[in-house]
Amino acid sequence: MRMTRLLSFKLFLLIVIILTISSFVVSYFQLQSQSENNMQTITECGERTSLLIKASTRHSMLLNQKETTHNIIRSIAGEKRIDNIRIYNKQGMIIFSANDEEINQTVDMQNEACFMCHNNNGDAIEEPDTKEKRRIYTRKDGTRILGFVSAIRNEKSCYEADCHFHPREKVVLGTIDVMMSLASNDKMLMDERSKMLQTNAAITLLVALTVGAFIWIFVHGPVHRLIIGTKEISSGNLEYKINSVSSDEIGTLAKSFNQMTSDLTNAKNEITDWSNELEERVKRKAELLKKTQDRIIQIEKMASLGKLSATVAHELNNPMSGILTYSKLIQKKLNKGDQSPTEKESIINHLKMIETESERCGAIIKNMLLFSKEQKPEFKPCDINTVLGTSLQLIKHHLQLHGIDLKTQLQSNLPEIYVDEHQIRQALLDLLMNSIEAMEKDGILTVKSSYNTLENRIFISLNDNGKGIPSDIQKQIFEPYFTTKHEVKGVGLGLFVVYGIIQNHNGDISVESELDKGTTFIIKLPVDQKQVNDNEQK
Amino acid sequence: MNKNDAKILIVDDEVIVRESLKGWFEEDGYFVETAEDAVEALKKLNDADFL
């Protein structure tokens, strides 16, 4: 964050500004007051000097001893702080001055010191009080001068003096103008001002540093730590604790914050525990479901086997009866006694036939056993045409028994797909058995396989020309316990199992059917599903 | 009826059944013919040998 945007900085700046302004305002008024006091003192000094001059020159004036008067004025004006002393007559002419060159010069009555008691026409007005009788001006050399003017009033000794110079009716005889230099006063004030400025600056700096340090340590630091804390929490680090030892409001805030994060951590842990627990439960349920599904598949397999049993029996019966006949024939031939070489060869041929047929029976039984055996789900790459072939092999006799014609259109060089061969065979067998049951005389079963490059899936279609499925129940056929076979034929799990198996393979199964025309089941299995099933295996 | 005069036609779709029975009856001295299905059987029945 930029320095100027920090709250601490704004607070600091405000305090410094207020401090600076207030200290300068106070200093200004202090200096002003001091200057005014000094002026008052100097004015009083001027007044006293005028009185002193009046008193000391009174005698020489009455004796009209001009030179003596002059000497007195000169010696008083010799005082360091007095710049000049003048005495004017009524017409504004300088009759005495410490500066000899000014004597007999007439001043402008409109200016100088006369305006205090004379109006614009030169007429006297009422005498003002002490303070207003002073005037301050700046001489050409830059020195400030305070002039104090006071009137010399006519009195009895004046108009009765031997010189008869002043007539009795005059009120004011002349004016004394004491001009005091303000140079030393001004210098002192200047010194005072600079000293005050320095002191102010020093105090301001000191206070600013102290306040700044205080704000930095007690406000900025803790607030900064709070900000870091909130950022840490929002980025997910719930372990973060704010280090704060102060017991002020920010300290309390930090403590509440730490309390909040620990509450948050507890809540989060609780939620995590719950979700782990839930996950575990879901996992257990899924495993249970999987086991149940495997059981159902196995049961359905046994049911299919049951349906096939008649066919199997018939299939086995033929070679068995052949074997029996050959065995009896050989016994008969051997009982006859010595055999000719031709007869021996014939017996060996019979035995060979027995061997071949026994092997055939063995193969049929082995096939049945393999099919009925409970298999662990195992995904392996396999050719779907091979799976179709073995499934059709199982029902070959069944088809013959029902007089159903089988047509196959299997696309060669299909890509291998990752499937559980046993599950797929079970699904196909279920669908094939359903088709056979749906057909009556002149049944035609058409089995097709193809590869759809666009969808990268293998399509298997099983079509029969049976009685078809009414459209209102087509959507229900894959649901569990749904059956149209009200006899003891089934429990309604067949198509549900098929649906489950195809779902296991991330495939789709759909049905198209028309009453009395036939039904087509279409299975679509993805080619590229190795990854999915590998994950499932884990 | 003389055994040599009797003629037997065995009809079965299974070769083992046909051949084993044929062997059995030939051993007994009968003249035996076999047929895989009805068409072949009828054909052979119409043959001069059986008449």
Side-chain angles (χ1 to χ4, degrees), chain A residues 318 332-333 336 357 360, chain B residues 14 16 19 23-24 27-28:
Chain A
N318 285 333
K332 203 180 195 178
K333 282 186 174 177
K336 273 167 59 183
E357 288 306 295
R360 191 176 137 204
Chain B
E14 283 278 347
I16 177 85
E19 289 305 310
W24 182 263
E27 186 64 25
D28 282 353

Side-chain angles (χ1 to χ4, degrees), chain A residues 88-95 105-109 114 118 165 170 173-175:
Chain A
Y88 307 96
N89 68 6
K90 280 292 282 181
Q91 284 71 41
M93 196 175 83
I94 301 169
I95 48 175
Q105 283 180 8
T106 306
V107 296
D108 182 1
M109 292 279 279
C114 312
H118 295 277
F165 187 74
K170 290 246 173 160
L173 302 178
T175 327

Side-chain angles (χ1 to χ4, degrees), chain A residues 117-252:
Chain A
C117 310
H118 295 277
N119 64 16
N120 287 347
N121 300 325
D123 300 331
I125 53 169
E126 208 166 301
E127 196 182 347
D129 62 12
T130 313
K131 199 180 167 187
E132 281 172 22
K133 282 193 282 189
R134 78 165 183 221
R135 69 186 196 284
I136 295 165
Y137 63 94
T138 308
R139 236 175 32 192
K140 276 175 188 164
D141 63 0
T143 321
R144 285 207 312 150
I145 304 290
L146 184 144
F148 186 85
V149 181
S150 61
I152 306 168
R153 292 183 182 275
N154 202 1
E155 53 188 84
K156 194 178 175 188
S157 48
C158 298
Y159 57 77
E160 283 180 357
D162 292 340
C163 60
H164 304 295
F165 187 74
H166 298 299
R168 186 187 182 132
E169 51 293 354
K170 290 246 173 160
V171 180
V172 173
L173 302 178
T175 327
I176 297 178
D177 186 3
V178 181
M179 286 171 272
M180 323 270 289
S181 167
L182 290 177
S184 64
N185 174 64
D186 285 351
K187 190 177 179 298
M188 192 191 76
L189 279 177
M190 196 65 86
D191 288 350
E192 194 79 7
R193 190 189 300 165
S194 66
K195 214 185 284 173
M196 207 168 261
L197 273 176
Q198 282 166 14
T199 317
N200 274 347
I203 289 173
T204 306
L205 192 69
L206 190 69
V207 172
L209 285 176
T210 315
V211 166
F214 183 87
I215 290 173
W216 191 261
I217 292 166
F218 294 103
V219 179
H220 177 78
V223 168
H224 188 63
R225 284 199 288 276
L226 274 175
I227 290 170
I228 289 173
T230 52
K231 278 182 184 163
E232 285 287 332
I233 298 296
S234 67
S235 69
N237 179 11
L238 289 180
E239 299 296 312
Y240 192 83
K241 285 269 176 283
I242 296 168
N243 219 347
S244 178
V245 285
S246 66
S247 55
D248 56 15
E249 293 92 323
I250 296 176
T252 314

